[in-house]
Amino acid sequence: MSEVLALAEAKAQLSQLVNRVNSQHDRVTVTVHGKPSAVLMAVDDLEELEETIAILSDSDALRQLATSDAELARGEGVTEHDLAEAMRRRRASA
């Protein structure tokens, strides 16, 4: 959910807004003189956006994702069970 508040309203409700954006992952746009000026959002949400931007900006990562998608479409993926078994065997041999 996204909400738009004037700066004065946001200042008056800042504690509640911070709690809400952190717990409910809402965004609050703060306006100054009726124009959007800032956005209040959870740190986790910002970090996820930044990570997404980094991945989408990395041509090698995008190529690897496309390759993985194609492998999965061909049924070449490894199941969770197979991966857990391989990890168990690796730990046992270490």
Side-chain angles (χ1 to χ4, degrees), residues 18 34 41 83:
V18 168
M41 65 188 303
L83 182 57

Side-chain angles (χ1 to χ4, degrees), residues 16 29 53 67 72 75 85:
Q16 297 92 338
T29 300
I53 291 168
T67 299
L72 288 172
E85 181 62 24

Side-chain angles (χ1 to χ4, degrees), residues 9-30:
E9 291 177 80
K11 285 168 43 175
Q13 303 175 35
L14 187 58
S15 290
Q16 297 92 338
L17 293 172
V18 168
N19 287 332
R20 192 176 82 211
V21 299
N22 187 50
S23 64
Q24 298 177 13
H25 299 275
D26 288 348
R27 283 190 317 248
V28 177
T29 300
V30 179

